Amino acid sequence: MIRVLKALFDHPRQESQESQQRRLRLAAAALLVETARADFTQSEDELAKLAQLLATSLQLGQDEVNRLVLAAQERVEEATSLYEFTRVINDHCSADQKLQLISAMWAVAYADGNVDKYEEHLIRNVADLIYVPHSDYIHAKLTAQN
């Protein structure tokens, strides 16, 4: 019993840089997958845009992107809220990186030519949770729209 209580107050071991990067990539990919699924359909255009964004922004090969997207889809299925993804983003990303994520979410939402109200609502929630200012959120939306 004392061991269990002591474990609650012990500081966790430091996470390796590689493990941290893996969690960060998974969180970002999961939020992009959530965006593609927000309107209850995943178009091929949205999935292609999602894969392209992950490949270019994370500098990953196609096989790595495919594995990351599959892992993200599984995590999204298991997730009960956005918090587990946005917490990782808040812990490890700069303001510029957070804005890039919001821009990527808008790019995925616009990939099929139609932004659904659920997609817009999701992106707004994520922007709030990761502390992206509203003016930056709007600018990212307008940039993706053009």
Side-chain angles (χ1 to χ4, degrees), residues 23-60 65 68-77 82 85-86 89 97-112 118-120 122-123 126-127 130 144:
R23 282 187 337 112
L24 186 55
R25 287 176 175 172
L26 183 60
L31 290 171
L32 294 177
V33 167
E34 260 314 335
T35 304
R37 300 172 74 177
D39 60 357
F40 305 105
T41 60
Q42 279 184 309
S43 75
E44 289 300 316
D45 293 334
E46 288 174 326
L47 292 176
K49 186 65 170 181
L50 184 152
Q52 181 244 330
L53 287 167
L54 289 173
T56 57
S57 64
L58 300 177
Q59 299 168 345
L60 299 174
V65 168
L68 181 59
V69 170
L70 286 174
Q73 288 172 332
E74 288 175 12
R75 287 298 293 143
V76 165
E77 287 293 325
L82 296 173
F85 307 125
T86 58
I89 301 300
Q97 291 169 320
K98 292 175 183 181
L99 182 56
Q100 288 174 348
L101 176 62
I102 295 300
S103 296
M105 291 175 75
W106 277 120
V108 170
Y110 276 109
D112 63 357
Y118 298 114
E119 291 169 325
E120 187 165 357
L122 171 74
I123 299 169
V126 171
I130 62 174

Coordinates of all heavy atoms in Angstrom, one line a residue, residues 23-60 65 68-77 82 85-86 89 97-112 118-120 122-123 126-127 130 144:
R23 N 4.9 10.6 -30.1 CA 3.6 11.1 -29.5 C 3.1 12.3 -30.1 O 1.9 12.5 -30.4 CB 3.8 11.2 -28.0 CG 3.8 10.0 -27.2 CD 3.7 10.1 -25.7 NE 4.2 11.3 -25.1 CZ 3.4 12.2 -24.5 NH1 2.1 12.0 -24.4 NH2 3.9 13.3 -23.9
L24 N 4.0 13.3 -30.4 CA 3.7 14.5 -31.0 C 3.1 14.3 -32.5 O 2.1 14.9 -32.9 CB 4.9 15.5 -31.1 CG 4.7 16.9 -31.5 CD1 3.6 17.6 -30.7 CD2 6.0 17.7 -31.4
R25 N 3.8 13.5 -33.2 CA 3.4 13.2 -34.6 C 2.0 12.5 -34.6 O 1.1 12.8 -35.4 CB 4.4 12.2 -35.3 CG 5.6 12.9 -35.7 CD 6.6 12.0 -36.3 NE 7.8 12.7 -36.8 CZ 8.9 12.1 -37.2 NH1 9.0 10.8 -37.2 NH2 9.9 12.8 -37.6
L26 N 1.8 11.6 -33.6 CA 0.6 10.8 -33.5 C -0.6 11.8 -33.1 O -1.7 11.7 -33.7 CB 0.7 9.7 -32.5 CG -0.6 8.8 -32.3 CD1 -0.9 8.1 -33.7 CD2 -0.3 7.8 -31.3
A27 N -0.3 12.7 -32.2 CA -1.3 13.7 -31.8 C -1.7 14.6 -33.0 O -2.9 14.8 -33.2 CB -0.8 14.5 -30.7
A28 N -0.7 15.1 -33.7 CA -1.0 15.9 -34.9 C -1.8 15.2 -35.9 O -2.8 15.7 -36.5 CB 0.3 16.5 -35.5
A29 N -1.4 14.0 -36.2 CA -2.1 13.1 -37.2 C -3.5 12.8 -36.8 O -4.4 12.8 -37.6 CB -1.3 11.8 -37.5
A30 N -3.7 12.6 -35.5 CA -5.0 12.3 -35.0 C -5.9 13.4 -35.2 O -7.1 13.3 -35.5 CB -4.9 11.8 -33.5
L31 N -5.4 14.6 -34.9 CA -6.3 15.8 -35.1 C -6.6 16.0 -36.6 O -7.7 16.5 -36.9 CB -5.6 17.1 -34.5 CG -5.5 17.1 -33.0 CD1 -4.7 18.2 -32.5 CD2 -6.9 17.1 -32.4
L32 N -5.7 15.7 -37.5 CA -6.0 15.8 -38.9 C -7.0 14.8 -39.3 O -7.9 15.0 -40.1 CB -4.7 15.7 -39.7 CG -3.7 16.9 -39.6 CD1 -2.5 16.6 -40.4 CD2 -4.4 18.2 -40.0
V33 N -6.9 13.6 -38.8 CA -7.9 12.5 -39.0 C -9.2 12.9 -38.5 O -10.3 12.7 -39.2 CB -7.4 11.1 -38.4 CG1 -8.5 10.1 -38.4 CG2 -6.2 10.6 -39.2
E34 N -9.3 13.5 -37.3 CA -10.5 13.9 -36.7 C -11.2 15.0 -37.7 O -12.4 14.9 -37.8 CB -10.3 14.6 -35.4 CG -10.5 14.0 -34.1 CD -11.8 13.2 -33.9 OE1 -12.8 13.4 -34.5 OE2 -11.7 12.3 -33.0
T35 N -10.4 15.8 -38.2 CA -10.9 16.8 -39.2 C -11.5 16.2 -40.4 O -12.6 16.6 -40.8 CB -9.8 17.8 -39.6 OG1 -9.2 18.4 -38.4 CG2 -10.3 18.9 -40.5
A36 N -10.8 15.2 -40.9 CA -11.4 14.5 -42.1 C -12.6 13.8 -41.8 O -13.5 13.6 -42.7 CB -10.3 13.5 -42.7
R37 N -12.8 13.3 -40.6 CA -14.0 12.5 -40.2 C -15.1 13.4 -39.6 O -16.2 12.8 -39.3 CB -13.6 11.5 -39.1 CG -12.5 10.5 -39.6 CD -12.0 9.7 -38.5 NE -13.0 8.7 -38.2 CZ -12.9 7.7 -37.3 NH1 -11.8 7.6 -36.6 NH2 -13.8 6.9 -37.1
A38 N -14.9 14.6 -39.3 CA -15.8 15.5 -38.6 C -17.2 15.5 -39.3 O -18.2 15.6 -38.6 CB -15.2 16.9 -38.4
D39 N -17.2 15.5 -40.6 CA -18.5 15.6 -41.3 C -19.1 14.2 -41.6 O -19.9 14.1 -42.4 CB -18.3 16.4 -42.6 CG -17.3 15.8 -43.6 OD1 -16.6 14.8 -43.2 OD2 -17.1 16.3 -44.7
F40 N -18.6 13.2 -40.9 CA -19.1 11.8 -41.0 C -18.8 11.1 -42.3 O -19.3 10.1 -42.6 CB -20.6 11.7 -40.6 CG -20.9 12.4 -39.3 CD1 -21.5 13.6 -39.3 CD2 -20.6 11.7 -38.1 CE1 -21.8 14.2 -38.0 CE2 -20.8 12.3 -36.9 CZ -21.5 13.6 -36.9
T41 N -17.9 11.7 -43.1 CA -17.4 11.1 -44.3 C -15.9 11.4 -44.4 O -15.5 12.5 -44.0 CB -18.1 11.5 -45.6 OG1 -17.9 12.9 -45.7 CG2 -19.6 11.2 -45.5
Q42 N -15.2 10.5 -45.0 CA -13.8 10.7 -45.3 C -13.6 10.6 -46.8 O -13.5 9.5 -47.3 CB -12.9 9.7 -44.6 CG -12.6 9.9 -43.1 CD -11.6 8.9 -42.6 OE1 -11.8 7.7 -42.7 NE2 -10.6 9.4 -41.9
S43 N -13.5 11.7 -47.4 CA -13.3 11.7 -48.9 C -11.9 11.3 -49.2 O -11.0 11.5 -48.4 CB -13.7 13.0 -49.5 OG -12.7 14.0 -49.2
E44 N -11.7 10.8 -50.4 CA -10.3 10.5 -50.8 C -9.5 11.7 -50.9 O -8.3 11.7 -50.7 CB -10.4 9.8 -52.2 CG -10.9 8.3 -52.1 CD -10.1 7.4 -51.2 OE1 -8.9 7.5 -51.3 OE2 -10.7 6.7 -50.5
D45 N -10.1 12.8 -51.3 CA -9.4 14.1 -51.4 C -8.8 14.5 -50.0 O -7.7 15.0 -49.9 CB -10.3 15.2 -51.9 CG -10.6 15.0 -53.4 OD1 -9.9 14.3 -54.1 OD2 -11.7 15.5 -53.8
E46 N -9.7 14.4 -49.0 CA -9.2 14.7 -47.6 C -8.1 13.8 -47.2 O -7.1 14.3 -46.6 CB -10.4 14.6 -46.7 CG -11.4 15.7 -46.8 CD -12.7 15.6 -46.0 OE1 -13.1 14.4 -45.7 OE2 -13.2 16.6 -45.5
L47 N -8.2 12.5 -47.4 CA -7.2 11.6 -47.0 C -5.9 11.9 -47.7 O -4.8 11.8 -47.2 CB -7.7 10.2 -47.2 CG -8.8 9.7 -46.2 CD1 -9.2 8.3 -46.6 CD2 -8.3 9.8 -44.8
A48 N -6.0 12.2 -49.0 CA -4.8 12.5 -49.8 C -4.1 13.7 -49.3 O -2.9 13.8 -49.2 CB -5.2 12.6 -51.3
K49 N -4.9 14.8 -49.0 CA -4.4 16.0 -48.5 C -3.7 15.8 -47.1 O -2.6 16.3 -46.8 CB -5.5 17.1 -48.4 CG -5.0 18.4 -48.0 CD -4.1 19.0 -49.1 CE -3.7 20.4 -48.9 NZ -2.9 20.9 -49.9
L50 N -4.4 15.0 -46.3 CA -3.8 14.7 -45.0 C -2.5 14.0 -45.1 O -1.5 14.4 -44.4 CB -4.8 13.8 -44.3 CG -4.6 13.3 -42.8 CD1 -6.0 13.1 -42.2 CD2 -3.8 12.1 -42.7
A51 N -2.4 13.0 -46.0 CA -1.1 12.3 -46.2 C 0.0 13.2 -46.7 O 1.1 13.1 -46.3 CB -1.4 11.1 -47.1
Q52 N -0.4 14.0 -47.6 CA 0.5 14.9 -48.2 C 1.1 15.9 -47.2 O 2.3 16.2 -47.1 CB -0.1 15.7 -49.4 CG 0.8 16.7 -50.1 CD 0.3 18.1 -50.0 OE1 -0.8 18.4 -49.9 NE2 1.3 19.0 -50.0
L53 N 0.2 16.4 -46.4 CA 0.6 17.4 -45.3 C 1.5 16.7 -44.3 O 2.5 17.3 -43.9 CB -0.6 17.9 -44.6 CG -1.4 19.0 -45.4 CD1 -2.8 19.2 -44.7 CD2 -0.7 20.3 -45.5
L54 N 1.2 15.5 -43.9 CA 2.1 14.8 -43.0 C 3.5 14.5 -43.6 O 4.5 14.6 -42.9 CB 1.4 13.5 -42.5 CG 0.2 13.6 -41.6 CD1 -0.4 12.3 -41.4 CD2 0.6 14.2 -40.3
A55 N 3.5 14.1 -44.9 CA 4.7 13.8 -45.5 C 5.6 15.0 -45.6 O 6.8 14.9 -45.4 CB 4.4 13.2 -46.9
T56 N 5.1 16.1 -46.0 CA 5.9 17.3 -46.2 C 6.3 18.0 -44.9 O 7.4 18.4 -44.7 CB 5.2 18.3 -47.1 OG1 3.9 18.7 -46.6 CG2 5.0 17.8 -48.5
S57 N 5.3 18.1 -44.0 CA 5.6 18.8 -42.7 C 6.5 18.0 -41.8 O 7.3 18.6 -41.1 CB 4.3 19.3 -42.0 OG 3.6 18.1 -41.6
L58 N 6.3 16.7 -41.8 CA 7.1 15.8 -40.9 C 8.3 15.2 -41.6 O 9.0 14.4 -41.0 CB 6.2 14.8 -40.3 CG 5.0 15.3 -39.4 CD1 4.2 14.1 -38.9 CD2 5.5 16.1 -38.3
Q59 N 8.4 15.4 -42.9 CA 9.4 14.8 -43.7 C 9.5 13.3 -43.6 O 10.5 12.7 -43.2 CB 10.8 15.5 -43.4 CG 10.8 17.0 -43.7 CD 11.9 17.7 -43.1 OE1 12.6 17.2 -42.2 NE2 12.2 18.9 -43.5
L60 N 8.4 12.7 -43.8 CA 8.2 11.2 -43.7 C 8.1 10.6 -45.1 O 7.5 11.2 -46.0 CB 7.0 10.9 -42.9 CG 7.0 11.3 -41.4 CD1 5.7 11.0 -40.7 CD2 8.2 10.7 -40.6
V65 N 4.1 7.5 -43.4 CA 2.9 8.2 -43.4 C 1.7 7.3 -43.3 O 0.8 7.5 -42.4 CB 2.7 9.1 -44.6 CG1 1.3 9.7 -44.7 CG2 3.7 10.3 -44.6
L68 N 1.5 6.0 -39.8 CA 1.1 7.0 -38.9 C -0.4 7.3 -39.0 O -1.1 7.4 -38.0 CB 1.9 8.3 -39.1 CG 1.6 9.5 -38.3 CD1 1.8 9.2 -36.8 CD2 2.4 10.7 -38.7
V69 N -0.9 7.3 -40.2 CA -2.4 7.5 -40.4 C -3.2 6.4 -39.8 O -4.2 6.6 -39.1 CB -2.7 7.8 -41.9 CG1 -4.2 7.7 -42.1 CG2 -2.1 9.1 -42.4
L70 N -2.7 5.1 -40.0 CA -3.4 4.0 -39.4 C -3.4 4.1 -37.9 O -4.4 3.8 -37.2 CB -2.8 2.7 -39.9 CG -3.1 2.3 -41.3 CD1 -2.3 1.0 -41.7 CD2 -4.6 2.0 -41.5
A71 N -2.3 4.4 -37.3 CA -2.2 4.5 -35.9 C -3.0 5.6 -35.4 O -3.7 5.5 -34.3 CB -0.7 4.7 -35.4
A72 N -3.1 6.7 -36.1 CA -3.9 7.9 -35.7 C -5.4 7.5 -35.8 O -6.2 7.9 -34.9 CB -3.6 9.1 -36.6
Q73 N -5.8 6.8 -36.8 CA -7.2 6.4 -36.9 C -7.6 5.5 -35.7 O -8.7 5.6 -35.2 CB -7.4 5.7 -38.2 CG -7.4 6.6 -39.4 CD -7.4 5.9 -40.8 OE1 -7.0 4.8 -40.9 NE2 -7.9 6.6 -41.8
E74 N -6.7 4.6 -35.3 CA -7.0 3.7 -34.2 C -7.1 4.6 -32.9 O -8.0 4.3 -32.1 CB -5.9 2.7 -34.0 CG -5.9 1.6 -35.1 CD -4.7 0.7 -35.0 OE1 -4.0 0.7 -34.0 OE2 -4.5 -0.1 -36.0
R75 N -6.2 5.5 -32.7 CA -6.2 6.4 -31.5 C -7.5 7.2 -31.5 O -8.1 7.4 -30.4 CB -5.0 7.3 -31.4 CG -3.7 6.6 -31.1 CD -3.8 6.0 -29.7 NE -3.8 6.9 -28.6 CZ -4.5 6.8 -27.5 NH1 -5.2 5.7 -27.3 NH2 -4.5 7.7 -26.6
V76 N -7.9 7.7 -32.6 CA -9.1 8.5 -32.7 C -10.4 7.7 -32.3 O -11.2 8.1 -31.6 CB -9.3 9.1 -34.1 CG1 -10.7 9.7 -34.3 CG2 -8.3 10.2 -34.3
E77 N -10.4 6.4 -32.7 CA -11.5 5.5 -32.4 C -11.5 5.3 -30.9 O -12.6 5.1 -30.3 CB -11.3 4.2 -33.1 CG -11.6 4.2 -34.6 CD -13.1 4.5 -34.9 OE1 -13.9 4.0 -34.1 OE2 -13.3 5.2 -35.9
L82 N -10.8 15.4 -27.2 CA -9.6 16.0 -27.9 C -8.5 16.3 -26.9 O -7.3 16.5 -27.4 CB -10.1 17.3 -28.5 CG -11.1 17.2 -29.6 CD1 -11.6 18.6 -30.1 CD2 -10.6 16.4 -30.8
F85 N -5.0 14.7 -27.2 CA -4.2 15.2 -28.4 C -3.7 16.6 -28.2 O -2.5 16.9 -28.4 CB -5.0 15.1 -29.7 CG -5.6 13.7 -29.9 CD1 -6.9 13.5 -30.1 CD2 -4.8 12.5 -29.9 CE1 -7.5 12.3 -30.3 CE2 -5.3 11.3 -30.1 CZ -6.7 11.2 -30.3
T86 N -4.6 17.5 -27.7 CA -4.2 18.9 -27.6 C -3.3 19.1 -26.4 O -2.4 20.0 -26.5 CB -5.5 19.8 -27.4 OG1 -6.2 19.3 -26.2 CG2 -6.4 19.7 -28.6
I89 N 0.1 18.6 -27.9 CA 0.5 19.8 -28.7 C 0.9 20.9 -27.8 O 1.9 21.6 -28.0 CB -0.7 20.2 -29.6 CG1 -1.1 19.0 -30.5 CG2 -0.4 21.4 -30.4 CD1 0.0 18.5 -31.5
Q97 N 4.1 26.5 -34.5 CA 3.7 25.2 -34.8 C 2.2 24.9 -34.6 O 1.6 24.2 -35.3 CB 4.6 24.2 -33.9 CG 6.0 24.2 -34.3 CD 6.9 23.4 -33.3 OE1 6.7 23.5 -32.1 NE2 7.9 22.7 -33.8
K98 N 1.7 25.5 -33.5 CA 0.2 25.3 -33.3 C -0.6 26.0 -34.4 O -1.5 25.4 -34.9 CB -0.1 26.0 -32.0 CG 0.4 25.3 -30.8 CD 0.1 26.0 -29.5 CE 0.7 25.4 -28.3 NZ 0.4 26.1 -27.0
L99 N -0.1 27.1 -34.9 CA -0.8 27.8 -36.0 C -0.7 26.9 -37.3 O -1.6 26.8 -38.1 CB -0.3 29.2 -36.2 CG -0.9 30.0 -37.3 CD1 -2.4 30.1 -37.2 CD2 -0.3 31.4 -37.4
Q100 N 0.5 26.3 -37.5 CA 0.7 25.4 -38.7 C -0.3 24.3 -38.6 O -0.8 23.8 -39.6 CB 2.1 24.9 -38.7 CG 3.1 26.0 -39.1 CD 4.5 25.5 -39.1 OE1 4.8 24.4 -38.5 NE2 5.4 26.2 -39.6
L101 N -0.5 23.7 -37.4 CA -1.5 22.6 -37.2 C -2.9 23.1 -37.6 O -3.6 22.4 -38.3 CB -1.4 22.1 -35.8 CG -2.5 21.0 -35.5 CD1 -2.3 19.8 -36.4 CD2 -2.4 20.6 -34.0
I102 N -3.3 24.3 -37.1 CA -4.6 24.8 -37.4 C -4.7 25.0 -38.9 O -5.8 24.7 -39.6 CB -4.9 26.1 -36.7 CG1 -5.0 25.8 -35.1 CG2 -6.2 26.7 -37.1 CD1 -6.1 24.8 -34.7
S103 N -3.7 25.5 -39.6 CA -3.7 25.7 -41.0 C -3.8 24.4 -41.7 O -4.6 24.3 -42.7 CB -2.4 26.4 -41.5 OG -2.3 27.7 -40.9
A104 N -3.1 23.4 -41.2 CA -3.2 22.0 -41.9 C -4.6 21.5 -41.7 O -5.2 20.8 -42.6 CB -2.2 21.1 -41.2
M105 N -5.3 21.7 -40.5 CA -6.6 21.2 -40.3 C -7.6 21.9 -41.3 O -8.5 21.2 -41.9 CB -7.1 21.5 -38.9 CG -6.3 20.6 -37.9 SD -6.7 21.0 -36.2 CE -8.4 20.2 -36.0
W106 N -7.4 23.2 -41.5 CA -8.2 23.9 -42.5 C -8.0 23.3 -43.9 O -8.9 23.2 -44.7 CB -7.9 25.4 -42.5 CG -8.7 26.1 -41.5 CD1 -8.2 26.9 -40.5 CD2 -10.1 26.2 -41.3 NE1 -9.2 27.4 -39.7 CE2 -10.4 27.0 -40.2 CE3 -11.2 25.7 -42.0 CZ2 -11.7 27.3 -39.7 CZ3 -12.5 26.0 -41.6 CH2 -12.7 26.7 -40.4
A107 N -6.7 23.0 -44.3 CA -6.4 22.5 -45.6 C -7.1 21.1 -45.8 O -7.6 20.9 -46.9 CB -4.9 22.3 -45.8
V108 N -7.1 20.3 -44.8 CA -7.8 19.0 -44.9 C -9.3 19.3 -45.0 O -10.0 18.6 -45.8 CB -7.5 18.1 -43.6 CG1 -8.4 16.9 -43.6 CG2 -6.1 17.7 -43.6
A109 N -9.9 20.2 -44.3 CA -11.3 20.5 -44.3 C -11.7 21.0 -45.7 O -12.8 20.6 -46.2 CB -11.7 21.5 -43.3
Y110 N -10.9 21.8 -46.3 CA -11.2 22.3 -47.6 C -10.8 21.4 -48.8 O -11.2 21.7 -49.9 CB -10.5 23.7 -47.8 CG -11.2 24.9 -47.3 CD1 -10.7 25.5 -46.1 CD2 -12.4 25.3 -47.8 CE1 -11.4 26.6 -45.6 CE2 -13.1 26.4 -47.3 CZ -12.6 27.0 -46.2 OH -13.3 28.1 -45.7
A111 N -10.2 20.3 -48.5 CA -9.7 19.4 -49.6 C -10.8 18.9 -50.5 O -10.6 18.7 -51.7 CB -8.9 18.3 -49.0
D112 N -12.0 18.6 -49.9 CA -13.1 18.1 -50.7 C -14.0 19.2 -51.3 O -15.0 18.9 -51.9 CB -13.9 17.1 -49.9 CG -14.6 17.8 -48.7 OD1 -14.4 19.0 -48.4 OD2 -15.3 17.0 -48.0
Y118 N -19.5 20.9 -38.9 CA -18.8 20.1 -37.9 C -17.3 20.2 -38.0 O -16.6 20.2 -37.0 CB -19.3 18.6 -38.0 CG -20.7 18.5 -37.8 CD1 -21.6 18.0 -38.8 CD2 -21.3 18.7 -36.5 CE1 -22.9 17.9 -38.6 CE2 -22.7 18.6 -36.3 CZ -23.5 18.2 -37.4 OH -24.8 18.0 -37.2
E119 N -16.8 20.3 -39.2 CA -15.4 20.5 -39.4 C -14.9 21.8 -38.8 O -13.9 21.9 -38.1 CB -15.0 20.4 -40.9 CG -15.1 19.0 -41.5 CD -15.0 19.0 -43.0 OE1 -15.5 20.0 -43.6 OE2 -14.5 18.0 -43.5
E120 N -15.7 22.9 -39.1 CA -15.4 24.2 -38.6 C -15.5 24.2 -37.1 O -14.6 24.8 -36.4 CB -16.4 25.2 -39.2 CG -16.0 26.7 -38.9 CD -16.7 27.7 -39.7 OE1 -17.5 27.3 -40.7 OE2 -16.5 28.9 -39.5
L122 N -15.0 21.7 -35.0 CA -13.8 21.0 -34.5 C -12.6 21.9 -34.5 O -11.9 21.9 -33.5 CB -13.6 19.7 -35.3 CG -12.3 19.0 -35.0 CD1 -12.4 18.3 -33.6 CD2 -12.0 18.0 -36.1
I123 N -12.3 22.5 -35.6 CA -11.1 23.3 -35.8 C -11.2 24.5 -34.8 O -10.2 24.8 -34.1 CB -10.9 23.8 -37.2 CG1 -10.8 22.6 -38.1 CG2 -9.7 24.7 -37.3 CD1 -10.8 22.9 -39.6
V126 N -10.3 23.0 -31.3 CA -8.9 22.7 -31.2 C -8.1 24.0 -31.1 O -7.2 24.1 -30.2 CB -8.4 21.9 -32.4 CG1 -6.9 21.8 -32.4 CG2 -9.0 20.5 -32.4
A127 N -8.4 25.0 -31.9 CA -7.7 26.3 -31.8 C -7.9 26.9 -30.4 O -6.9 27.4 -29.8 CB -8.3 27.3 -32.8
I130 N -5.6 24.8 -27.9 CA -4.2 25.0 -28.0 C -3.8 26.5 -28.0 O -2.7 26.8 -28.3 CB -3.6 24.2 -29.2 CG1 -4.2 24.7 -30.5 CG2 -3.8 22.7 -29.1 CD1 -3.5 24.1 -31.8
A144 N -6.5 29.1 -46.3 CA -6.8 27.8 -46.8 C -8.0 27.9 -47.8 O -8.0 27.1 -48.8 CB -7.2 26.8 -45.7

